[in-house]
Each structure stands twice: as C-alpha cells, then as structure tokens.
Amino acid sequence: MADELERARKRESKLVAVFSAIDARADAEAALGEALIELKDLGVAQSDLAEMTGLSAREVGTAIRAAKDRTAPDDQTPETTDEHASDTTSDHNGAESH
C-alpha cells in the first residue's frame, strides 16, 4: 500500500512538471508568433519567414495563430482567420450547428 501511495505521488509530481512544460511551450509559441508578426509588419512575406528561420510554413502559421489567439482569445476577427481559414474557422462547415 505504501509503495502504491509513493508511486501515485511521483506520478502527480511528474504530471505537474508536464503541465508546467506545456504552459511554457504555449508561452514560447506565442512569443515566437509575436516576433514573426512583427517581421511581417516590417514587410517580410510569410513564406520568406519560413525560409529565413528554418521553420516549416506550417510552424510559422501555427506560431502566428498562437500569438493572435493569445492577444484576442474570445474575439475572432478577420485577422485571426486570414492565415489558414480552414484550420481556424468553421464559416462554411458546421456554422449552423452552434
């Protein structure tokens, strides 16, 4: 019984570490996206951002969306849906299902 209790405590401790890392990753993704947005605002094309940074186009888009989601979590503006509309909105598929 004591061994099981100790294992449960260790699992709980490791889960806390996992969730902390997930939060840190989300923060890092948003910070990356903010920097990428600033580069876009300086005139760098999104496709060029991928080439310049070594990230895939998908990673660039994901980071940008993460930053936009972080700045406006409850507000879906047209800016939020410009990058990859099929990934972020349901304007055409299931819009009536709310």
Side-chain angles (χ1 to χ4, degrees):
M1 187 88 161
D3 288 341
E4 284 187 39
L5 183 58
E6 182 60 26
R7 280 211 264 212
R9 286 183 184 147
K10 285 182 180 180
R11 280 193 301 262
E12 182 178 344
S13 173
K14 293 304 174 186
L15 279 172
V16 168
V18 166
F19 290 125
S20 293
I22 289 170
D23 288 343
R25 181 176 66 180
D27 292 342
E29 187 79 14
L32 171 62
E34 289 170 12
L36 291 169
I37 288 170
E38 289 177 18
L39 284 168
K40 280 181 64 175
D41 290 345
L42 291 171
V44 181
Q46 188 165 332
S47 59
D48 291 338
L49 290 173
E51 187 176 322
M52 290 167 60
T53 61
L55 298 170
S56 70
R58 177 179 221 117
E59 289 171 316
V60 170
T62 298
I64 289 171
R65 281 191 305 280
K68 288 181 178 181
D69 289 347
R70 187 64 63 102
T71 59
D74 295 329
D75 187 27
Q76 286 209 356
T77 63
E79 294 173 353
T80 305
T81 58
D82 282 348
E83 298 302 324
H84 295 285
S86 62
D87 292 345
T88 59
T89 64
S90 60
D91 290 342
H92 302 291
N93 296 329
E96 300 289 328
S97 64
H98 296 288

